[in-house]
Amino acid sequence: MLSDCKWVWQNGDLVPWVRATVHVSAHGLHYGTGVFEGIRCYKTTRGPAVFRLDAHLDRMFDSAQTYGITIPYSREELAGAVLEVIAANQFSDCYVRPIATYGSSSLGVHPGNCPVEVAILAWPWGAYLGADALEKGIHVTVSRWKKFSSLAMPATAKACGQYLNSMLAVQDAVKRGFDEALLVDEEGIIAEGSGENIFLVQNGEVLTNDERDHVLMGITRDTVITLARDLGHKVLVGPMRLEELQIADEAFFTGTAAEVTPIGSVDRKPIGNGARGPITAELQRAFFRTTSGKDQRHGNWLTYAAGRTHAEETCEASAPAETGSVNPGLAT
Ligand code: PMP
């Protein structure tokens, strides 16, 4: 739960949850001017390990660059801060949310001199689409809300305001009794879920799309493509139409929160036999063996958060510290 987050990293300091606030005049609050990441930290026999931390931070800096937001910390400082937040909260596994938004100075649409404020939250978060979803699959609807074009806002950036499109779609899907929305573009070409990339499996081949179809280039997507090729599957990348989804043998969503979630049906029509397909199951297994460190072939995707003595000391202090500072020595 979000409220399990006792310590938040904010603008260079570890602060108790209640103090991690922003002002109501913050530019980011009014216009969604900010960028963020969603990262998972997994339990391993060597302690908590952050999955693909570098890739997530690279994407965060790229998203910021897209919007002309200058993050006033280095990648190394933010990497250290992510590990520090996990240790301070004593999580063995969790979801991590770094965010950089414009703070308070003026409320013209142009952000002018608004400072860039950076925070990192972490909290335990189980299966994003429900406990049964990873095994049984989910019910998806094709949203009436179209995926915005990258000509309007670059879909490859993970920016706060862009999620209004996703929110409209998922809210409508849930209201109509579905678990998740699939968005297509104005030509009806498949884009992505409200917070996931999509894969199809047809005749033993694995298919997904890319940035040309207005999607976020998911890090889980990249992980699954790599693992599928490791397993000897052919992976094809290109546009996918709804007709192809309807006749697919299998389909699944990928995302940091959703991990590898089978799609059981689309608008109540079953995909394949309506349950998790064999290639989806194989890729799921490979994914969780990798994130848990059991399969070490991509061991460099894990950054271990154990042994963060400074943060542990901070956490053990009985009274909430006024501020805790980031120890740059933690950044490795
Ligand atoms: N598309 C959207 C719109 C998302 O929000 C996400 C989640 N970050 C993804 C795809 C999947 O990206 P990733 O695998 O990097 O989490």
Side-chain angles (χ1 to χ4, degrees):
M1 273 163 51
L2 196 49
S3 60
D4 290 326
C5 181
K6 304 292 179 218
W7 294 93
V8 178
W9 187 93
Q10 192 178 29
N11 300 323
D13 293 321
L14 269 183
V15 299
W17 168 269
V18 289
R19 286 200 20 226
T21 55
V22 294
H23 197 265
V24 289
S25 64
H27 198 273
L29 179 65
H30 290 254
Y31 303 120
T33 46
V35 297
F36 67 100
E37 270 306 317
I39 310 174
R40 267 196 196 266
C41 168
Y42 286 92
K43 190 174 178 172
T44 77
T45 52
R46 289 173 56 193
V50 184
F51 190 61
R52 304 203 62 178
L53 179 57
D54 293 343
H56 281 284
L57 291 177
D58 284 348
R59 187 170 67 185
M60 184 161 169
F61 278 84
D62 288 347
S63 301
Q65 197 178 351
T66 298
Y67 282 96
I69 295 171
T70 305
I71 296 178
Y73 298 95
S74 66
R75 278 174 179 68
E76 292 70 30
E77 283 172 312
L78 292 192
V82 164
L83 302 180
E84 195 173 14
V85 171
I86 295 164
N89 286 289
Q90 296 184 310
F91 293 141
S92 54
D93 57 283
C94 59
Y95 181 86
V96 182
R97 168 58 55 83
I99 183 165
T101 56
Y102 279 121
S104 175
S105 170
S106 66
L107 278 174
V109 174
H110 191 293
N113 294 323
C114 291
V116 176
E117 309 216 354
V118 184
I120 305 173
L121 294 154
W123 68 95
W125 203 358
Y128 178 65
L129 292 159
D132 285 348
L134 294 174
E135 205 185 314
K136 297 199 176 135
I138 55 165
H139 301 294
V140 170
T141 183
V142 178
S143 182
R144 65 186 82 174
W145 294 104
K146 302 300 173 211
K147 174 75 200 198
F148 60 81
S149 162
S150 282
L151 294 174
M153 274 188 290
T156 48
K158 195 165 173 65
C160 300
Q162 299 187 185
Y163 277 80
L164 286 173
N165 180 225
S166 287
M167 194 274 270
L168 280 174
V170 69
Q171 190 170 253
D172 177 62
V174 169
K175 198 164 146 197
R176 292 192 290 116
F178 295 94
D179 300 310
E180 181 55 297
L182 173 65
L183 290 91
V184 301
D185 72 11
E186 287 183 21
E187 262 76 62
I189 304 289
I190 293 173
E192 59 186 343
S194 73
E196 306 86 8
N197 293 112
I198 185 169
F199 283 74
L200 311 185
V201 179
Q202 181 69 321
N203 301 325
E205 292 177 344
V206 178
L207 324 170
T208 194
N209 54 12
D210 64 11
E211 71 272 20
R212 289 167 293 182
D213 294 314
H214 320 288
V215 304
L216 184 72
M217 294 295 277
I219 290 158
T220 321
R221 169 191 175 281
D222 179 72
T223 301
V224 166
I225 291 174
T226 305
L227 296 176
R229 289 185 173 144
D230 286 354
L231 288 163
H233 295 295
K234 190 165 176 188
V235 181
L236 303 173
V237 177
M240 301 184 294
R241 309 188 67 88
L242 282 175
E243 306 89 273
E244 292 173 81
L245 171 60
Q246 266 155 10
I247 58 163
D249 299 327
E250 303 177 33
F252 59 90
F253 275 140
T254 64
T256 297
E259 299 168 311
V260 179
T261 299
I263 297 175
S265 69
V266 175
D267 288 317
R268 306 283 173 216
K269 292 193 203 84
I271 301 293
N273 64 7
R276 176 175 60 185
I279 293 181
T280 306
E282 185 189 19
L283 292 172
Q284 234 182 20
R285 220 166 22 245
F287 178 77
F288 287 118
R289 284 182 56 75
T290 303
T291 57
S292 63
K294 286 184 187 138
D295 186 335
Q296 276 295 318
R297 269 175 292 182
H298 298 284
N300 61 338
W301 282 345
L302 294 173
T303 303
Y304 292 90
R308 322 239 57 92
T309 51
H310 164 76
E312 278 161 18
E313 281 161 22
T314 309
C315 198
E316 277 160 19
S318 48
E322 268 306 297
T323 56
S325 61
V326 173
N327 179 346
L330 296 176
T332 49

